[in-house]
Amino acid sequence: AWARQNSFIQCENTRLLLFCFLATFPVLVGHTTAPVSDTLSVDLILFGLVFLDRSMRNIILIFRIFLGFCSAFAFGYAVLVRPASVIGLTVALLIFGLVSLRGSHYSRLTFSVVAIGFVIVLTPSIINCSKKFGSYCLQSPQTFNVILSSHVGLSGARVLWTQPTEFPGSLPILSDEKMINDFYRRCHIKSIIGFNETSFTGCLLQNPLALPSFLAKKWIGLFDYFRFTPYLERVTPSWLRQLSRIYSAFVWIGFSICIAATLQLTNRATWTTVKNNLIRNPGILLLTVYSVILLAQHTVLLTEERYG
């Protein structure tokens, strides 16, 4: 309904079709029953978007401020539930702020309220974590090792929790021989950004001919819903796996259309139209930036389909 109201979806039948598609998507049904943080975090982000949209539309000052704080709480709590969202949401809010400078003073007010509320929600956890571990953080630094995850992500595009790992100290990745030969064995990752083979970006740049294959495999793995949930990997029936992959195929088609549409932005007229639409609908801009950053994060790191 939010997308329809913002003219992101033009047709009522399209809205109903997409709703039915999402409501019957086996993996989405599965993840609402699984004790993982991804579903709750996404729900909170969607609530934050709706509150943000209502705040932008409301002409009564007190309600605009109240709805802005509701949006900030939803975004902030989404980060506390799943700290991997912190970069995506922070950058998305900053870009939303830059766009609001070109809008009305009401837009700037909404951004200010959301930004301040977002910081207020996160500050107690940051202070607590920093005191305990001696550096700025939202969770224990031992919880997640970005270097290990990015290096492991060079060996394959799917995590299979029920299989033993081939590499000591690694996560159970379904090994891809080409990815292992092209990237994993050759590169020893010590940083993400750089130009030599000790960095993730440098590792990929050293073998540019294999880069399209690498991206395709990681992105297909991100949207290949071959199990009901990760906890039911061994007992997902074959008919359900096949049904999920039919849905996944439509998701992949939609994802490909998004990439094709993005490439069209090189056309000046198209870019001008899109830019004007995004200025009028900052929630769509925020959602787009957040999604692109999350896609980039999970292209770098190991891939699980629940991230998709």
Side-chain angles (χ1 to χ4, degrees):
W2 166 77
R4 179 82 171 88
Q5 191 174 39
N6 284 281
S7 301
F8 198 53
I9 294 174
Q10 300 290 333
C11 177
E12 180 67 17
N13 289 335
T14 303
R15 183 176 74 88
L16 293 174
L17 177 65
L18 284 174
F19 174 81
C20 292
F21 180 84
L22 293 171
T24 58
F25 201 150
V27 71
L28 296 185
V29 175
H31 281 305
T32 60
T33 67
V36 291
S37 61
D38 307 78
T39 302
L40 177 57
S41 178
V42 171
D43 289 343
L44 288 166
I45 290 169
L46 294 176
F47 275 117
L49 284 168
V50 172
F51 283 129
L52 178 67
D53 185 65
R54 294 293 182 269
S55 176
M56 296 288 290
R57 293 174 181 273
N58 207 296
I59 59 175
I60 302 175
L61 182 62
I62 188 66
F63 287 125
R64 178 179 282 263
I65 293 173
F66 172 73
L67 291 167
F69 273 118
C70 289
S71 176
F73 176 80
F75 288 143
Y77 196 58
V79 170
L80 296 180
V81 168
R82 189 167 185 256
S85 293
V86 66
I87 297 175
L89 275 178
T90 301
V91 173
L93 285 172
L94 287 174
I95 292 178
F96 167 62
L98 292 175
V99 170
S100 70
L101 294 176
R102 300 190 60 178
S104 66
H105 65 279
Y106 291 114
S107 299
R108 294 191 288 274
L109 173 64
T110 297
F111 166 70
S112 300
V113 170
V114 173
I116 292 169
F118 184 69
V119 172
I120 289 173
V121 172
L122 295 183
T123 296
S125 294
I126 293 174
I127 293 174
N128 182 52
C129 190
S130 301
K131 285 182 178 179
K132 189 168 185 177
F133 298 104
S135 61
Y136 288 109
C137 57
L138 276 170
Q139 60 183 351
S140 167
Q142 285 75 39
T143 304
F144 174 65
N145 187 328
V146 64
I147 302 301
L148 172 64
S149 181
S150 60
H151 189 221
V152 169
L154 295 172
S155 66
R158 286 173 180 82
V159 174
L160 292 178
W161 291 110
T162 54
Q163 78 162 13
T165 176
E166 292 185 26
F167 306 101
S170 177
L171 292 166
I173 299 289
L174 180 62
S175 299
D176 183 295
E177 196 62 33
K178 181 171 174 54
M179 290 176 64
I180 290 174
N181 292 332
D182 287 342
F183 300 108
Y184 184 83
R185 287 200 176 100
R186 202 184 72 242
C187 303
H188 301 283
I189 306 299
K190 296 180 181 178
S191 63
I192 300 299
I193 306 297
F195 296 99
N196 56 37
E197 292 185 346
T198 61
S199 68
F200 181 85
T201 56
C203 176
L204 298 185
L205 292 173
Q206 294 293 324
N207 196 354
L209 294 179
L211 184 55
S213 171
F214 174 85
L215 292 176
K217 288 178 178 179
K218 292 291 285 268
W219 290 347
I220 290 172
L222 195 60
F223 294 103
D224 179 18
Y225 301 106
F226 59 92
R227 52 195 172 189
F228 192 54
T229 74
Y231 299 96
L232 300 173
E233 189 172 277
R234 284 190 182 276
V235 296
T236 299
S238 58
W239 67 266
L240 184 55
R241 182 178 294 110
Q242 291 165 6
L243 180 63
S244 290
R245 280 181 156 163
I246 291 173
Y247 276 80
S248 300
F250 282 104
V251 173
W252 177 252
I253 291 170
F255 178 66
S256 301
I257 291 172
C258 286
I259 294 175
T262 303
L263 295 177
Q264 293 296 316
L265 296 180
T266 54
N267 181 291
R268 181 173 295 182
T270 304
W271 165 244
T272 301
T273 302
V274 171
K275 182 176 68 174
N276 292 335
N277 286 335
L278 292 177
I279 290 173
R280 289 196 300 270
N281 302 304
I284 292 174
L285 174 64
L286 190 146
L287 180 60
T288 302
V289 173
Y290 171 75
S291 300
V292 168
I293 291 176
L294 221 61
L295 175 67
Q297 284 181 210
H298 294 305
T299 301
V300 173
L301 308 177
L302 61 90
T303 298
E304 279 193 75
E305 81 284 354
R306 64 188 175 98
Y307 301 143

